[in-house]
Amino acid sequence: MRATKLTALAAATVFAISLAACGSDSDDSGNGAAAAPAPTMTSAAAAPSSAAPMDSMVNFGTGCAAVPTDPANAGSFEAMGKVPVATAASGNPLLSTLVTAVKKAGLVDSLNSAEGITVFAPTNDAFAKIPKATLDKVLADKKTLTSILTYHVVPGKLTPTDLAGTHKTLQGQDLTVAGSGESFTVGTDKAAVICGNVQTANANVYIIDSVLMPKS
């Protein structure tokens, strides 16, 4: 009888140990099951299939930081994208001198009605590089001013991947753009694009840090 009790006790002990071992294996297996999907999720997140192409990028460049971020502001990227280019420029705080020049040249309607153009838009600081007496003289000479301004406009909406190369301007002379990615210079003066691929209703705008001068 005593032997039978000992045997039963031993069996119970072995059974309990077996249960504990199984429980431990189950926990380990559970942890493994929870961890298993992690590499799959990470791989899916890192997959480039859903990445946006370069041409769909709204804008690039350090100068874009000066553009208002409030969509209600007429100078914001969102607001500019809804109106034609001359109207869009009038709301942008970087381009007030350019807007004045466009108005003096009588080009507002021409630019706003153009279908698909690229505009290289000099900032206020770009115009400030020109001696005031010279700038005032140019602003007062409609023919010269029109020639300079139309030299900043290229037919067709050039995306960043289309930008590098030589392009015929509305002024008639060629304009060469060099660079790639998010770094471009324009013309022989090497004007740098400081805010690129800015969308308006009828144009792609590349804001530059110098005024481009056509050959005389």
Side-chain angles (χ1 to χ4, degrees), residues 36-45:
T40 303
M41 292 175 65
T42 301
S43 297

Side-chain angles (χ1 to χ4, degrees), residues 6-22:
L6 288 173
T7 301
L9 180 60
T13 302
V14 170
F15 182 69
I17 293 173
S18 298
L19 282 178
C22 289

Side-chain angles (χ1 to χ4, degrees), residues 44-94:
S49 59
S50 61
M54 174 70 174
D55 287 353
S56 67
M57 183 170 53
V58 174
N59 52 74
F60 62 86
T62 57
C64 294
V67 176
T69 57
D70 182 0
N73 189 304
S76 68
F77 291 122
E78 292 86 347
M80 287 191 291
K82 298 175 183 178
V83 294
V85 63
T87 302
S90 67
N92 191 306
L94 298 174

Side-chain angles (χ1 to χ4, degrees), residues 136-212:
D136 289 344
K137 183 178 179 180
V138 169
L139 291 174
D141 184 342
K142 186 174 181 179
K143 182 178 179 181
T144 299
L145 183 59
T146 299
S147 177
I148 292 172
L149 292 176
T150 53
Y151 185 62
H152 289 73
V153 183
V154 172
K157 297 177 74 172
L158 298 178
T159 67
T161 52
D162 300 326
L163 199 56
T166 300
H167 311 283
K168 181 72 70 176
T169 67
L170 293 187
Q171 185 264 356
Q173 295 183 23
D174 289 339
L175 183 64
T176 299
V177 181
S180 62
E182 297 184 3
S183 178
F184 294 95
T185 58
V186 186
T188 55
D189 300 310
K190 304 297 183 184
V193 173
I194 63 169
C195 186
N197 205 25
V198 178
Q199 304 297 311
T200 75
N202 69 327
N204 280 8
V205 178
Y206 294 87
I207 300 175
I208 55 178
D209 67 355
S210 297
V211 177
L212 306 173

